[in-house]
Amino acid sequence: MFKPKTSASHGAAAATPAPASGASTQGASKVPAPGGGHGLVWVNTESHVYHREGSRFYGTTKKGKYMTEAEAIKEGNKAAAKGL
């Protein structure tokens, strides 16, 4: 029973990487947007939550921009919860 599912999952996995690269801006494992770096946070412009470098959401939300943490706070954005 596991071998057919494994074979099917291998086929599905083989088909997944091509769409994943196009959808890479939507998953948590996506590549951060260019322009970030040391001293900058990523602000999700829809939720007004900012993520520090090293966060899984740093540079990866659909809408956002990089800025300093001081600028983010000045604009009224809030830090993401610990671990996000």
Side-chain angles (χ1 to χ4, degrees):
M1 201 172 209
F2 287 105
K3 290 190 180 200
K5 286 185 178 182
T6 303
S7 298
S9 67
H10 284 308
T16 302
S21 65
S24 66
T25 58
Q26 296 174 8
S29 63
K30 45 189 175 162
V31 178
H38 185 69
L40 297 177
V41 297
W42 175 260
V43 178
N44 180 328
T45 55
E46 291 183 330
S47 67
H48 299 284
V49 172
Y50 65 87
H51 305 275
R52 292 181 179 95
E53 191 173 11
S55 164
R56 66 181 176 153
F57 296 111
Y58 185 76
T60 61
T61 60
K62 286 183 181 181
K63 294 185 180 179
K65 60 183 177 178
Y66 292 107
M67 61 178 62
T68 66
E69 188 170 3
E71 291 170 332
I73 293 168
K74 185 177 178 180
E75 287 187 5
N77 299 297
K78 303 291 182 189
K82 297 282 183 188
L84 292 181

